[in-house]
């Protein structure tokens, strides 16, 4: 399979970025002239699953996937969990990225302690995740016993490559010759 030589790849990427930028402005009602922008359907999906570190029935930590891989943006998924000890005062929310239940094969992208009321063991906690067109992951932690939210977090998705990786690849590609 050979790359197309008739298409200016930089121009295509720039056009896609411009369309996505306008779509974000339309979504956030920032541009008056964006109202005339044609309806565009973007079917962007998550590249990897997202979840939380949870204790299983054997008191072993594992990755509990909440937002499965290939979830279209805007969709919301929830997982229900419970406190593990009587009168537990906090939960350590550890949000993961990866598709495996084994924590060795996923990345914890954020850790956040959340204070909770002192309930008997087994009090319900619902964790809801959603990602939006800008790549922001929204995490809501809900106290099912009291029927009220405990915490809302926004997690910006980071690029898969560091700036140095991008620069190294740019340098390498600039030395290639396309006929």
């Amino acid at each position: 399979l050979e790359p197309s030589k008739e298409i200016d790849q930089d121009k295509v990427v720039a056009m896609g970025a411009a369309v996505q930028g306008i779509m974000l402005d339309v979504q956030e009602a920032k541009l008056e002239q964006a109202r005339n922008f044609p309806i565009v359907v973007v079917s962007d999906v998550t590249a990897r699953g997202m979840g939380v570190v949870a204790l299983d029935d054997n008191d072993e930590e594992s990755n509990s996937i909440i937002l499965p891989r290939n979830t279209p943006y805007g969709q919301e998924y929830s997982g229900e969990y419970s406190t593990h000890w009587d009168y537990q005062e906090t939960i350590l929310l550890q949000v993961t990225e990866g598709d495996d239940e084994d924590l060795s094969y996923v990345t914890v992208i954020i850790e956040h302690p959340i204070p909770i009321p002192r309930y008997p063991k087994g009090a319900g906690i619902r964790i809801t995740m959603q990602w939006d067109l800008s790549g922001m992951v929204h995490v809501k932690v809900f106290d099912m016993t009291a029927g009220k939210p405990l915490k809302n977090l926004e997690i910006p998705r980071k690029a898969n490559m560091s700036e140095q990786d991008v620069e190294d690849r740019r340098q390498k590609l600039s030395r290639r010759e396309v006929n």
Side-chain angles (χ1 to χ4, degrees), residues 48-150:
R48 289 180 219 93
M50 298 193 72
V52 294
V53 175
L55 291 176
D56 63 19
D57 294 334
N58 299 320
D59 290 338
E60 298 288 328
E61 288 186 338
S62 67
N63 182 34
S64 175
I65 297 170
I66 295 174
L67 199 62
R69 183 169 64 127
N70 293 328
T71 298
Y73 81 89
Q75 290 190 3
E76 190 174 88
Y77 287 85
S78 296
E80 293 186 359
Y81 305 90
S82 60
T83 56
H84 212 67
W85 298 279
D86 279 330
Y87 313 111
Q88 186 174 331
E89 295 180 352
T90 60
I91 56 172
L92 178 60
L93 178 67
Q94 295 174 290
V95 177
T96 61
E97 183 174 62
D99 301 305
D100 204 295
E101 288 183 11
D102 186 338
L103 291 173
S104 305
Y105 300 106
V106 300
T107 303
V108 174
I109 59 173
I110 190 170
E111 289 187 357
H112 192 82
I114 300 173
I116 59 173
R118 295 172 45 98
Y119 296 129
K121 176 181 177 176
I125 305 288
R126 181 183 309 119
I127 300 174
T128 302
M129 291 185 176
Q130 175 190 39
W131 74 284
D132 63 26
L133 191 57
S134 69
M136 186 73 67
V137 178
H138 303 271
V139 181
K140 301 175 198 166
V141 182
F142 189 80
D143 179 340
M144 295 170 60
T145 303
K148 65 179 189 176
L150 291 170

Side-chain angles (χ1 to χ4, degrees), residues 161-171:
M161 296 191 307
S162 69
E163 288 185 35
Q164 185 62 49
D165 290 338
V166 171
E167 181 59 27
D168 291 347
R169 288 197 174 74
R170 188 187 70 70
Q171 293 287 334

